[in-house]
Amino acid sequence: MSFLPGLKNGEVIDFSQRSLIVAAASIAFNPIFWNTVARQEYHSKVLTKLFRGNSKLGCYALAITIFLLGIFRDSLYERALRDQPTHPFFTGAVSNFAAIVLFIAGNVLVLSSMWALGVTGTYLGDYFGILMDQRVTSFPFNVTDAPMYYGSTLSFLGTALWFGKPAGLLLTVEVLAVYLIALRFEDPFTAEIYVRREHEQKAAKKAT
Ligand SMILES: *[C@@H]1O[C@H](CO)[C@@H](O)[C@H](O)[C@H]1NC(C)=O
């Protein structure tokens, strides 16, 4: 195909690569894993029990697991990109510049969000009964409600552009999709946890 010069068989994305499927599976698995574990913790305190009643330790263990799964997923993503055709449209200076800007913006959102929330706030502490004193509204939460997720998505997008891989764009769309689905599960659940605490605090006040 003349309009896609330099591509093997004119392919934009090589769907025959196993690494692409593996990366896609890993991207979907991570939020499913942490939502499942966090809900189990909330309903039956599995991790708190595992750490002999120490919910903070349980939350740290989950945090480390999620963090490592994230690194593993990122390495599978990069490996998948290496096996994919490069598209000449994404190899210019403009694309490279956009890649750097997106990657930095994404990491600023992720890191500043972790800084604002702390370890337990970032990694589902609310499900362990470790609640924030109040809602965090400072940067980056004045820019977006879910800086972790949108920041991570931007980093994936930046990486796809940097390596000039259309397959990376497809996986980035998947990343955004699984995060949007995760938010639909997490947001109402978290809101409910905080409403419940408010009721309990009111009840406690009445009792005294
Ligand atoms: C968010 O807060 C930061 C730091 O306080 C500030 O510089 C920025 O302008 C704010 N952004 C918005 C959209 O309000």
Side-chain angles (χ1 to χ4, degrees), residues 109-126:
L109 285 179
V110 169
L111 294 174
S112 60
S113 156
M114 284 182 80
W115 180 258
L117 293 180
V119 173
T120 56
T122 301
Y123 293 103
L124 305 152
D126 356 14

Side-chain angles (χ1 to χ4, degrees), residues 23 26 56 77 90 98 103 108 115 133-134 142 145 147 170 196 204:
S26 166
K56 207 157 194 179
Y77 176 64
F90 299 114
F103 190 80
V108 165
W115 180 258
D133 291 335
Q134 55 201 19
N142 65 347
D145 280 343
L170 182 67
R196 187 164 297 169

Side-chain angles (χ1 to χ4, degrees), residues 163-204:
F163 291 108
K165 308 288 186 175
L169 299 181
L170 182 67
L171 289 175
T172 301
V173 170
E174 188 200 352
V175 169
L176 181 61
V178 298
Y179 282 158
L180 289 177
I181 293 170
L183 282 173
R184 290 187 75 123
F185 280 94
E186 289 168 17
D187 278 349
F189 204 76
T190 312
E192 189 196 302
I193 292 173
Y194 280 87
V195 166
R196 187 164 297 169
R197 174 176 71 170
E198 206 173 300
H199 285 314
E200 281 168 6
Q201 282 173 341
K202 273 195 189 133

Side-chain angles (χ1 to χ4, degrees), residues 138-139 142-143:
S138 59
F139 183 84
N142 65 347
V143 180

Side-chain angles (χ1 to χ4, degrees), residues 11-34:
E11 270 174 339
V12 178
I13 298 173
D14 184 355
F15 286 101
S16 70
Q17 293 294 335
R18 221 177 101 88
S19 55
L20 182 68
I21 312 303
V22 171
S26 166
I27 286 167
F29 173 79
N30 284 11
I32 293 173
F33 168 80
W34 72 63

Side-chain angles (χ1 to χ4, degrees), residues 137-168:
T137 52
S138 59
F139 183 84
F141 292 90
N142 65 347
V143 180
T144 158
D145 280 343
M148 269 295 195
Y149 288 165
Y150 292 121
S152 170
T153 305
L154 290 181
S155 302
F156 274 90
L157 182 59
T159 307
L161 286 182
W162 180 254
F163 291 108
K165 308 288 186 175

